[in-house]
Amino acid sequence: MGPPGGGKGTISKKILRDFSFSHLSTGDVLRENVRNATPVGVEAKSYMDAGDLVPDELMVRLVLSEVEEKGYNRLLLDGFPRTEAQAVELGKHIKVDMALNLDVPTETIVERISNRWLHPASGRVYAYDYNPPKVEGKDDETGEDLIQRDDDKADAVRTRLATYDKLTAPLIEYYRTEGVLKEFQGTESDVIYPMVKAYLEEQGQGAYRL
């Protein structure tokens, strides 16, 4: 678990590089099942077409069918469950040995994301903290103006993080109560990951939710 922009994707890639885990992204699995019109995919699509959220029970069935089909045993669940209700339903079928939570300060994420600027014609992305343009506000190759996406503006980022906190707080408490939560605090993935790696090496095998 970890807030948007908190480095969860980077940490996940490093875990998969260094450990023998199978990676399961529910978003990818959902799209694949809808595209292939599997029974679970068809049922999920009916909710999506109606503009509704796919029910928790159906999302868990989706995960279970993927685990059964692929024969996963050491599994990294990326971004699922997202809510306490999903965690409870999943726990009826799969034992989660660890829930890893990246605790990154809100203002660190706000600063990181709000530093992003885009050249819309080419898709080139600049970040003033590590990859700034040669001339402020201008694309290096064309000299054209850079823009900032509305989603990357500081107020929008804070709103998104507040929504995440509200949704995820009960989930974090659920896994804390279950005795499987491990939290890692920091501001940079390169600092956090060595702590994550050391912890996983200590704990051995299992199914993990990040």
Side-chain angles (χ1 to χ4, degrees):
M1 295 174 282
K8 183 167 63 67
T10 300
I11 297 290
S12 294
K13 289 177 183 177
K14 291 182 177 183
I15 291 175
L16 294 171
R17 179 196 66 197
D18 293 339
F19 297 91
S20 301
F21 286 109
S22 298
H23 177 249
L24 197 157
S25 167
T26 51
D28 292 343
V29 172
L30 178 59
R31 285 186 289 272
E32 181 181 350
N33 276 264
V34 169
R35 184 172 59 251
N36 294 335
T38 66
V40 177
V42 170
E43 189 174 349
K45 189 174 185 297
S46 68
Y47 290 97
M48 296 163 65
D49 288 346
D52 296 328
L53 294 175
V54 178
D56 294 334
E57 180 272 335
L58 183 54
M59 287 300 299
V60 171
R61 270 201 286 137
L62 192 70
V63 169
L64 294 176
S65 66
E66 184 75 5
V67 170
E68 183 177 346
E69 178 184 343
K70 301 291 176 61
Y72 295 140
N73 61 6
R74 295 190 70 197
L75 183 63
L76 177 68
L77 291 171
D78 187 353
F80 184 86
R82 294 181 182 275
T83 66
E84 182 183 6
Q86 289 179 347
V88 171
E89 186 64 30
L90 180 68
K92 296 175 183 177
H93 308 278
I94 292 179
K95 181 178 183 294
V96 174
D97 298 289
M98 293 179 225
L100 311 180
N101 184 46
L102 308 183
D103 184 5
V104 182
T106 293
E107 287 308 309
T108 296
I109 298 173
V110 171
E111 182 178 355
R112 181 181 301 163
I113 296 178
S114 62
N115 271 335
R116 294 177 188 165
W117 288 78
L118 172 72
H119 179 240
S122 68
R124 280 185 288 274
V125 177
Y126 298 88
Y128 280 98
D129 53 351
Y130 69 90
N131 179 37
K134 295 174 182 176
V135 177
E136 185 173 353
K138 301 292 183 181
D139 177 53
D140 286 352
E141 294 189 19
T142 66
E144 295 171 347
D145 289 342
L146 302 178
I147 67 167
Q148 187 175 45
R149 298 189 319 154
D150 288 342
D151 283 352
D152 289 344
K153 293 179 179 177
D155 287 346
V157 176
R158 288 191 182 93
T159 298
R160 193 156 72 245
L161 291 173
T163 300
Y164 171 84
D165 287 342
K166 182 178 179 180
L167 184 68
T168 309
L171 177 63
I172 292 173
E173 287 306 313
Y174 171 80
Y175 280 127
R176 181 176 283 116
T177 301
E178 291 291 299
V180 297
L181 179 71
K182 179 64 177 179
E183 299 191 88
F184 301 91
Q185 297 179 331
T187 59
E188 298 179 6
S189 297
D190 289 344
V191 175
I192 295 174
Y193 181 65
M195 295 186 287
V196 173
K197 183 179 181 183
Y199 182 72
L200 292 179
E201 288 172 341
E202 290 173 3
Q203 299 303 311
Q205 301 184 11
Y208 306 92
R209 192 273 187 229
L210 178 67

Tab-separated table of all heavy atoms in Angstrom, residues 4-32:
chain	number	residue	atom	x	y	z
A	4	PRO	N	-0.718	7.574	-4.000
A	4	PRO	CA	-0.322	7.849	-5.382
A	4	PRO	C	0.857	8.811	-5.410
A	4	PRO	O	0.850	9.832	-4.729
A	4	PRO	CB	-1.583	8.468	-5.998
A	4	PRO	CG	-2.435	8.907	-4.844
A	4	PRO	CD	-2.110	7.979	-3.721
A	5	GLY	N	1.880	8.445	-6.180
A	5	GLY	CA	3.076	9.269	-6.232
A	5	GLY	C	4.063	8.965	-5.119
A	5	GLY	O	5.099	9.624	-4.997
A	6	GLY	N	3.773	7.934	-4.324
A	6	GLY	CA	4.623	7.601	-3.185
A	6	GLY	C	5.735	6.624	-3.496
A	6	GLY	O	6.512	6.271	-2.607
A	7	GLY	N	5.803	6.141	-4.737
A	7	GLY	CA	6.887	5.249	-5.132
A	7	GLY	C	6.549	3.773	-5.067
A	7	GLY	O	7.432	2.920	-5.165
A	8	LYS	N	5.245	3.446	-4.945
A	8	LYS	CA	4.850	2.040	-4.838
A	8	LYS	C	5.236	1.242	-6.077
A	8	LYS	O	5.706	0.103	-5.982
A	8	LYS	CB	3.343	1.946	-4.599
A	8	LYS	CG	2.831	0.525	-4.402
A	8	LYS	CD	1.422	0.519	-3.858
A	8	LYS	CE	0.457	1.175	-4.841
A	8	LYS	NZ	0.307	0.366	-6.075
A	9	GLY	N	5.063	1.843	-7.249
A	9	GLY	CA	5.415	1.145	-8.480
A	9	GLY	C	6.896	0.824	-8.554
A	9	GLY	O	7.293	-0.279	-8.953
A	10	THR	N	7.726	1.773	-8.148
A	10	THR	CA	9.177	1.564	-8.148
A	10	THR	C	9.571	0.468	-7.172
A	10	THR	O	10.380	-0.415	-7.491
A	10	THR	CB	9.899	2.877	-7.774
A	10	THR	OG1	9.568	3.881	-8.729
A	10	THR	CG2	11.407	2.675	-7.754
A	11	ILE	N	8.990	0.504	-5.973
A	11	ILE	CA	9.291	-0.509	-4.963
A	11	ILE	C	8.848	-1.890	-5.449
A	11	ILE	O	9.566	-2.884	-5.283
A	11	ILE	CB	8.602	-0.172	-3.626
A	11	ILE	CG1	9.128	1.159	-3.066
A	11	ILE	CG2	8.781	-1.297	-2.615
A	11	ILE	CD1	10.544	1.131	-2.573
A	12	SER	N	7.670	-1.973	-6.066
A	12	SER	CA	7.164	-3.257	-6.575
A	12	SER	C	8.126	-3.857	-7.589
A	12	SER	O	8.424	-5.058	-7.555
A	12	SER	CB	5.785	-3.068	-7.218
A	12	SER	OG	4.819	-2.703	-6.264
A	13	LYS	N	8.611	-3.038	-8.509
A	13	LYS	CA	9.542	-3.530	-9.539
A	13	LYS	C	10.812	-4.071	-8.903
A	13	LYS	O	11.361	-5.091	-9.343
A	13	LYS	CB	9.870	-2.412	-10.519
A	13	LYS	CG	8.713	-2.042	-11.440
A	13	LYS	CD	9.082	-0.861	-12.335
A	13	LYS	CE	7.900	-0.449	-13.203
A	13	LYS	NZ	8.208	0.754	-14.025
A	14	LYS	N	11.308	-3.401	-7.874
A	14	LYS	CA	12.535	-3.851	-7.223
A	14	LYS	C	12.307	-5.158	-6.457
A	14	LYS	O	13.180	-6.040	-6.433
A	14	LYS	CB	13.068	-2.765	-6.290
A	14	LYS	CG	13.593	-1.545	-7.047
A	14	LYS	CD	14.173	-0.492	-6.115
A	14	LYS	CE	14.751	0.667	-6.920
A	14	LYS	NZ	15.395	1.692	-6.082
A	15	ILE	N	11.132	-5.312	-5.837
A	15	ILE	CA	10.809	-6.568	-5.158
A	15	ILE	C	10.782	-7.715	-6.162
A	15	ILE	O	11.348	-8.793	-5.929
A	15	ILE	CB	9.449	-6.456	-4.429
A	15	ILE	CG1	9.552	-5.502	-3.240
A	15	ILE	CG2	8.979	-7.835	-3.954
A	15	ILE	CD1	8.228	-5.241	-2.550
A	16	LEU	N	10.144	-7.480	-7.308
A	16	LEU	CA	10.051	-8.529	-8.325
A	16	LEU	C	11.417	-8.861	-8.904
A	16	LEU	O	11.675	-10.005	-9.302
A	16	LEU	CB	9.095	-8.084	-9.436
A	16	LEU	CG	7.636	-7.921	-9.005
A	16	LEU	CD1	6.823	-7.266	-10.119
A	16	LEU	CD2	7.032	-9.261	-8.631
A	17	ARG	N	12.300	-7.878	-8.946
A	17	ARG	CA	13.664	-8.101	-9.449
A	17	ARG	C	14.474	-8.959	-8.480
A	17	ARG	O	15.249	-9.828	-8.896
A	17	ARG	CB	14.354	-6.753	-9.651
A	17	ARG	CG	15.803	-6.834	-10.157
A	17	ARG	CD	16.500	-5.506	-9.953
A	17	ARG	NE	16.664	-5.184	-8.536
A	17	ARG	CZ	16.938	-3.968	-8.062
A	17	ARG	NH1	17.056	-2.946	-8.888
A	17	ARG	NH2	17.095	-3.772	-6.763
A	18	ASP	N	14.289	-8.733	-7.185
A	18	ASP	CA	15.162	-9.337	-6.187
A	18	ASP	C	14.588	-10.597	-5.531
A	18	ASP	O	15.322	-11.320	-4.855
A	18	ASP	CB	15.482	-8.318	-5.085
A	18	ASP	CG	16.340	-7.174	-5.600
A	18	ASP	OD1	17.007	-7.340	-6.641
A	18	ASP	OD2	16.319	-6.085	-4.963
A	19	PHE	N	13.280	-10.844	-5.715
A	19	PHE	CA	12.656	-11.994	-5.074
A	19	PHE	C	11.826	-12.782	-6.090
A	19	PHE	O	11.410	-12.249	-7.117
A	19	PHE	CB	11.754	-11.538	-3.915
A	19	PHE	CG	12.499	-10.859	-2.802
A	19	PHE	CD1	12.670	-9.474	-2.806
A	19	PHE	CD2	13.025	-11.591	-1.750
A	19	PHE	CE1	13.363	-8.840	-1.782
A	19	PHE	CE2	13.718	-10.960	-0.718
A	19	PHE	CZ	13.885	-9.586	-0.734
A	20	SER	N	11.580	-14.050	-5.747
A	20	SER	CA	10.848	-14.939	-6.671
A	20	SER	C	9.343	-14.847	-6.428
A	20	SER	O	8.711	-15.797	-5.943
A	20	SER	CB	11.335	-16.383	-6.491
A	20	SER	OG	12.707	-16.483	-6.741
A	21	PHE	N	8.787	-13.701	-6.786
A	21	PHE	CA	7.350	-13.500	-6.634
A	21	PHE	C	6.659	-13.493	-7.986
A	21	PHE	O	7.247	-13.073	-8.993
A	21	PHE	CB	7.049	-12.160	-5.951
A	21	PHE	CG	7.343	-12.124	-4.492
A	21	PHE	CD1	8.417	-11.391	-4.006
A	21	PHE	CD2	6.561	-12.828	-3.595
A	21	PHE	CE1	8.699	-11.353	-2.656
A	21	PHE	CE2	6.835	-12.789	-2.237
A	21	PHE	CZ	7.907	-12.049	-1.775
A	22	SER	N	5.427	-13.932	-7.993
A	22	SER	CA	4.539	-13.678	-9.121
A	22	SER	C	3.808	-12.375	-8.830
A	22	SER	O	3.427	-12.112	-7.691
A	22	SER	CB	3.528	-14.817	-9.286
A	22	SER	OG	4.198	-16.035	-9.549
A	23	HIS	N	3.625	-11.574	-9.867
A	23	HIS	CA	3.025	-10.244	-9.703
A	23	HIS	C	1.595	-10.275	-10.219
A	23	HIS	O	1.332	-10.752	-11.333
A	23	HIS	CB	3.854	-9.220	-10.485
A	23	HIS	CG	3.289	-7.832	-10.443
A	23	HIS	ND1	2.749	-7.219	-11.541
A	23	HIS	CD2	3.182	-6.949	-9.428
A	23	HIS	CE1	2.340	-6.007	-11.207
A	23	HIS	NE2	2.594	-5.822	-9.932
A	24	LEU	N	0.668	-9.789	-9.416
A	24	LEU	CA	-0.721	-9.748	-9.841
A	24	LEU	C	-1.263	-8.331	-9.662
A	24	LEU	O	-1.389	-7.847	-8.540
A	24	LEU	CB	-1.564	-10.745	-9.034
A	24	LEU	CG	-2.939	-11.110	-9.610
A	24	LEU	CD1	-3.399	-12.458	-9.078
A	24	LEU	CD2	-3.975	-10.047	-9.301
A	25	SER	N	-1.546	-7.690	-10.785
A	25	SER	CA	-2.185	-6.381	-10.789
A	25	SER	C	-3.649	-6.577	-11.166
A	25	SER	O	-3.945	-7.035	-12.276
A	25	SER	CB	-1.495	-5.452	-11.800
A	25	SER	OG	-2.286	-4.302	-12.033
A	26	THR	N	-4.545	-6.256	-10.249
A	26	THR	CA	-5.962	-6.508	-10.517
A	26	THR	C	-6.466	-5.690	-11.701
A	26	THR	O	-7.355	-6.146	-12.429
A	26	THR	CB	-6.823	-6.202	-9.282
A	26	THR	OG1	-6.501	-4.897	-8.790
A	26	THR	CG2	-6.581	-7.229	-8.193
A	27	GLY	N	-5.911	-4.505	-11.923
A	27	GLY	CA	-6.325	-3.712	-13.074
A	27	GLY	C	-6.023	-4.424	-14.374
A	27	GLY	O	-6.874	-4.500	-15.280
A	28	ASP	N	-4.822	-4.999	-14.481
A	28	ASP	CA	-4.437	-5.733	-15.690
A	28	ASP	C	-5.293	-6.973	-15.866
A	28	ASP	O	-5.732	-7.296	-16.977
A	28	ASP	CB	-2.956	-6.141	-15.619
A	28	ASP	CG	-2.011	-4.954	-15.689
A	28	ASP	OD1	-2.456	-3.860	-16.109
A	28	ASP	OD2	-0.830	-5.117	-15.320
A	29	VAL	N	-5.523	-7.691	-14.769
A	29	VAL	CA	-6.314	-8.923	-14.836
A	29	VAL	C	-7.753	-8.616	-15.229
A	29	VAL	O	-8.361	-9.341	-16.037
A	29	VAL	CB	-6.267	-9.664	-13.481
A	29	VAL	CG1	-7.246	-10.841	-13.472
A	29	VAL	CG2	-4.861	-10.149	-13.198
A	30	LEU	N	-8.302	-7.541	-14.678
A	30	LEU	CA	-9.667	-7.160	-15.018
A	30	LEU	C	-9.785	-6.840	-16.506
A	30	LEU	O	-10.701	-7.331	-17.188
A	30	LEU	CB	-10.100	-5.953	-14.178
A	30	LEU	CG	-11.495	-5.382	-14.450
A	30	LEU	CD1	-12.564	-6.434	-14.224
A	30	LEU	CD2	-11.748	-4.150	-13.583
A	31	ARG	N	-8.856	-6.040	-17.016
A	31	ARG	CA	-8.909	-5.684	-18.444
A	31	ARG	C	-8.753	-6.915	-19.333
A	31	ARG	O	-9.436	-7.037	-20.361
A	31	ARG	CB	-7.815	-4.656	-18.751
A	31	ARG	CG	-8.133	-3.242	-18.238
A	31	ARG	CD	-7.103	-2.238	-18.701
A	31	ARG	NE	-5.810	-2.424	-18.029
A	31	ARG	CZ	-5.500	-1.855	-16.884
A	31	ARG	NH1	-6.375	-1.074	-16.257
A	31	ARG	NH2	-4.305	-2.050	-16.329
A	32	GLU	N	-7.877	-7.835	-18.938
A	32	GLU	CA	-7.662	-9.047	-19.728
A	32	GLU	C	-8.917	-9.912	-19.772
A	32	GLU	O	-9.302	-10.444	-20.820
A	32	GLU	CB	-6.492	-9.846	-19.154
A	32	GLU	CG	-6.177	-11.119	-19.920
A	32	GLU	CD	-5.029	-11.899	-19.305
A	32	GLU	OE1	-4.353	-11.361	-18.398
A	32	GLU	OE2	-4.807	-13.048	-19.728
